[in-house]
Amino acid sequence: REGTPAVSSNQLDDKDGREEEQVVRGLGILPAQLELSTKELPWLVGDSATQRSRFAFWLQTLRRARGFRSVLVNSFPGEAVTGTAAAEDDDGPQRQAACPRVLPVGPLLVLAGCNVERAKGAGDDGGVAATNINNHPQPCSKNPSMWQADSTCIRWLDAQPAASVVYVSFGSWVGPIGHDKIRELALGLEATGRPFLWAIKDDPSWRAGLPAGYAGSVAGRGKLVDWAPQDDVLGHAAVGCYLTHCGWNSTVEAIQHGVRMLCCPVSGDQFINCAYITRVWEVGLKLGSVRRDVVRDCIERIMGGAEGTRLQEKMDALRQRAVTAEARCLAQGNLRSFVNEIKRDHPLLTQIYNIL
């Protein structure tokens, strides 16, 4: 069937009752090293009927996209970008549109107003982190979240050693992951002996999984908040890694600030994002499970030693591609090109807009 990727099994013998996992082949739009399994596809949510419905939706969306002139992507350019505005902006209406040109336009948010000297990775000097020379936080941008952030997070981070804190958040819309997993994750964080900041919703569906008296037992070293000002937290020099669900916005924010990621995807595109983080960019590790010993060991791997240093070096290089002046100029140029194309090809719409 046209548009359906081929799959090949990588587990033919299923004697243990495990679901057969297959590797997706033939997706030319994705890097070969991504090698997604069928369990990592974005429509695998809910029962089989829901999955079929979601697959049909994605297939229809891709087919309709074939007729687009341009597609704006909230991402940053790769090392070799094709179809950029710089190469095609002057071609005019005669430009052939066999496929849409893909224009990276992000991240457009300039990290202005931040005076953060980051000290990420292994081998820091253990000094106390500070957001600026006066030890007062300078927010990078207004908080776009609909949730009320806990304003005490930054002050708490100010008192922690540089690159020492594990920041944990599963985003604003991910459903509860289960009491057993919450308990194991909590005990794993405690077992590291490292400071951690955990944005965990103040709701029984999440917090009922915490061990009894947990907040008190980790007080001083672990801070639990209902919601954190994430951009400011990730931009703080005390944060050494980010245990994340791999939502795309969270992924981009982590890259903007150069924070290594410990991946725990839950649903949707998070598995694909995780594959990019761990297999393509190599700026993070994937949690094989949330058992306390696995959580502890993975945090130790990412926060120290040769492996942690390598991950940070990869992240630093990726961050340069995303937030340098050159990358921002390209993103802004792509956005201008898109607007200019509309003005050029649809002058009547432009006139109506100007009148309104």
Side-chain angles (χ1 to χ4, degrees):
R1 180 177 176 181
E2 182 183 6
T4 305
V7 296
S8 60
S9 174
N10 68 351
Q11 185 177 316
L12 298 177
D13 190 357
D14 195 27
K15 295 179 180 179
D16 296 330
R18 294 171 294 179
E19 293 183 16
E20 182 179 358
E21 184 176 346
Q22 297 177 314
V23 176
V24 181
R25 308 289 186 189
L27 283 176
I29 61 173
L30 298 175
Q33 64 265 46
L34 208 63
E35 199 171 73
L36 295 173
S37 75
T38 51
K39 292 183 178 180
E40 296 172 316
L41 298 175
W43 55 80
L44 296 184
V45 176
D47 56 23
S48 58
T50 302
Q51 292 176 15
R52 285 193 295 269
S53 176
R54 288 174 64 88
F55 179 79
F57 167 78
W58 286 113
L59 196 60
Q60 181 185 37
T61 300
L62 291 173
R63 286 173 172 166
R64 292 180 63 185
R66 292 175 181 173
F68 294 171
R69 294 283 300 276
S70 302
V71 175
L72 303 183
V73 181
N74 177 27
S75 187
F76 45 89
E79 294 176 355
V81 182
T82 59
T84 61
E88 302 182 4
D89 193 32
D90 297 330
D91 290 347
Q94 301 303 319
R95 178 178 58 82
Q96 294 184 358
C99 61
R101 58 177 185 166
V102 178
L103 305 179
V105 295
L108 282 176
L109 294 177
V110 180
L111 302 179
C114 295
N115 184 16
V116 179
E117 294 297 328
R118 301 193 60 80
K120 298 299 183 188
D124 62 84
D125 60 8
V128 173
T131 49
N132 60 40
I133 58 175
N134 295 318
N135 205 32
H136 294 297
Q138 297 292 326
C140 297
S141 60
K142 292 183 178 179
N143 179 19
S145 173
M146 295 183 294
W147 303 85
Q148 182 63 46
D150 190 320
S151 61
T152 67
C153 291
I154 304 302
R155 290 291 185 187
W156 183 83
L157 287 171
D158 284 344
Q160 307 306 318
S164 67
V165 175
V166 179
Y167 171 54
V168 184
S169 175
F170 284 86
S172 57
W173 70 270
V174 170
I177 62 175
H179 291 173
D180 291 342
K181 290 182 178 180
I182 290 292
R183 176 181 174 81
E184 287 296 303
L185 179 57
L187 293 173
L189 289 169
E190 184 178 14
T192 66
R194 295 179 178 272
F196 64 88
L197 172 62
W198 190 354
I200 178 171
K201 297 173 185 176
D202 190 8
D203 185 275
S205 62
W206 284 87
R207 297 213 175 190
L210 295 173
Y214 183 74
S217 66
V218 299
R221 181 169 57 81
K223 183 174 178 63
L224 278 62
V225 298
D226 187 34
W227 189 246
Q230 180 158 293
D231 193 61
D232 295 330
V233 167
L234 290 172
H236 199 287
V239 176
C241 83
Y242 176 20
L243 199 164
T244 173
H245 64 305
C246 303
W248 183 244
N249 288 338
S250 294
T251 299
V252 171
E253 288 170 355
I255 294 170
Q256 280 182 298
H257 294 292
V259 181
R260 298 162 295 188
M261 286 173 272
L262 187 53
C263 303
C264 187
V266 178
S267 64
D269 68 331
Q270 296 161 18
F271 293 97
I272 297 178
N273 299 338
C274 173
Y276 268 94
I277 292 166
T278 59
R279 302 173 197 165
V280 180
W281 300 326
E282 298 180 14
V283 295
L285 302 176
K286 183 179 180 180
L287 273 175
S289 76
V290 291
R291 293 200 323 266
R292 67 190 75 176
D293 58 325
V294 175
V295 173
R296 180 198 62 216
D297 293 346
C298 283
I299 289 176
E300 290 306 311
R301 287 171 58 193
I302 203 170
M303 292 286 280
E307 187 171 20
T309 299
R310 179 184 61 81
L311 291 171
Q312 190 60 57
E313 290 172 350
K314 291 275 190 178
M315 174 58 85
D316 291 342
L318 181 61
R319 181 177 183 270
Q320 286 301 310
R321 284 166 45 194
V323 303
T324 58
E326 181 181 356
R328 291 198 300 269
C329 286
L330 179 57
Q332 292 165 355
N334 283 342
L335 189 58
R336 282 195 300 269
S337 173
F338 177 73
V339 173
N340 290 339
E341 183 180 60
I342 295 175
K343 290 181 178 179
R344 181 184 62 222
D345 297 346
H346 304 283
L348 181 58
L349 288 178
T350 303
Q351 293 176 21
I352 294 174
Y353 175 80
N354 289 335
I355 292 173
L356 297 177

